[in-house]
Amino acid sequence: MTDDLDDQNADRVGRFRAGAAARGLPAAEVEAWIRATVPGVYFTDGGDGPPVVTTGGHPALPEDAPDPEHPLVVSVDCGLLPPGGAGFPLPRDGRLLFFADPDLGFRGRLGGAVRHVPAGTPVAERRVETAYGPFAARELRRMWHHLAGPDAETWAEARWEDPDDERYELAEELESAWTEAGGSWPVWSFALGGHPVVLHDDPLLVARDDDPEHAGDWVPLATWRCPREAESLDGGVVTWLIRRTDLTAGRFERVYGYVDM
């Protein structure tokens, strides 16, 4: 499942410190960037072993489960995930099913967008008509985990109250140094944890703005880069977010969905 890509992450922080120092970047900001990194697990085509992630197709659901409102995007075999790889607790067995409509209307709190089916639960394939899908079924066997750096603009605005052009440029330099220290990674299709992919607005900030009382509790649960067959979203990204308290309690019906393109 995993390969020598994981070895690239072993001393990434050390390489980043050295590379940032060579660029003359301030040590205090280098350490602030490191504190903002978070772990994530990433998946793409290729590799061998059992498929940890299957995309598309029809969902396998318990008989009494309600019909999904959205097409199946991803099915994750929780028993094959690296413990703690995503940086937060996930079910240790069974499958996590992620559903989404790949259009800009898929936003906000969406009760049926993520479901956990425990191991041993009798299930049957459910064919449901939705506006999209079913998407082509693909098996993602290549998996690796590493620390993800933040989006440069989001980091700058969190670091300074009103960053000027010089501080935005510093954030971009830090992002460049972090990428250089990590080497070349494959283009992934699906991720658990990590930082959100920011195209226009940061999905995490959108969820926090929608729930300011619990702003610090929200985390990115998963991210899907839409495939070519999602014609309505050219280069679109779907993000599922959840509060840590709900994640720990297994309340996946409380996720927040966000689509950007």
Side-chain angles (χ1 to χ4, degrees), residues 27-71:
E29 308 312 328
V30 169
E31 297 305 312
W33 181 275
I34 293 170
R35 291 194 296 272
T37 62
V38 295
V41 188
Y42 299 84
F43 306 88
T44 192
D45 299 302
D48 52 21
V52 186
V53 168
T54 303
T55 68
H58 297 284
L61 294 170
E63 182 180 350
D64 60 351
D67 285 344
E69 298 179 16
H70 316 285

Side-chain angles (χ1 to χ4, degrees), residues 16 61-62 68 70 79 86 98 100 109 116 119 125 149 155 161 178 182 189 195 200 202 210 215 223 235 241 244 257:
F16 170 63
L61 294 170
H70 316 285
F98 292 83
R109 297 171 191 255
H116 177 230
E125 184 177 270
W155 180 85
E161 184 174 346
W178 178 257
S189 301
H195 278 290
H200 294 94
D202 189 320
D210 193 47
T223 306
L241 305 110
R244 285 186 181 273

Side-chain angles (χ1 to χ4, degrees), residues 134-151:
F135 297 110
R138 295 163 54 206
E139 293 181 339
L140 307 184
R141 300 173 184 271
R142 196 177 196 193
M143 173 181 72
W144 67 96
H145 44 96
H146 68 84
L147 290 174
D151 172 74

Side-chain angles (χ1 to χ4, degrees), residues 7-22:
D7 295 337
Q8 296 182 19
N9 199 48
D11 191 32
R12 186 177 190 177
V13 170
R15 293 195 302 274
F16 170 63
R17 285 194 177 106

Side-chain angles (χ1 to χ4, degrees), residues 23-175:
R23 294 178 183 225
L25 301 180
E29 308 312 328
V30 169
E31 297 305 312
W33 181 275
I34 293 170
R35 291 194 296 272
T37 62
V38 295
V41 188
Y42 299 84
F43 306 88
T44 192
D45 299 302
D48 52 21
V52 186
V53 168
T54 303
T55 68
H58 297 284
L61 294 170
E63 182 180 350
D64 60 351
D67 285 344
E69 298 179 16
H70 316 285
L72 177 67
V73 170
V74 166
S75 174
V76 179
D77 188 335
C78 299
L80 297 178
L81 293 175
F88 44 64
L90 289 168
R92 295 184 178 181
D93 63 26
R95 288 190 170 271
L96 270 181
L97 307 180
F98 292 83
F99 301 85
D101 279 330
D103 64 44
L104 296 177
F106 185 82
R107 294 190 180 188
R109 297 171 191 255
L110 302 162
V114 179
R115 302 187 191 184
H116 177 230
V117 180
T121 303
V123 296
E125 184 177 270
R126 185 80 57 88
R127 293 177 177 265
V128 181
E129 294 296 326
T130 60
Y132 298 91
F135 297 110
R138 295 163 54 206
E139 293 181 339
L140 307 184
R141 300 173 184 271
R142 196 177 196 193
M143 173 181 72
W144 67 96
H145 44 96
H146 68 84
L147 290 174
D151 172 74
E153 183 175 332
T154 298
W155 180 85
E157 291 170 358
R159 179 68 173 161
W160 299 290
E161 184 174 346
D162 186 19
D164 55 18
D165 289 346
E166 185 176 341
R167 283 176 166 169
Y168 279 121
E169 290 172 4
L170 172 57
E172 290 174 359
E173 273 287 299
L174 289 163
E175 184 178 52

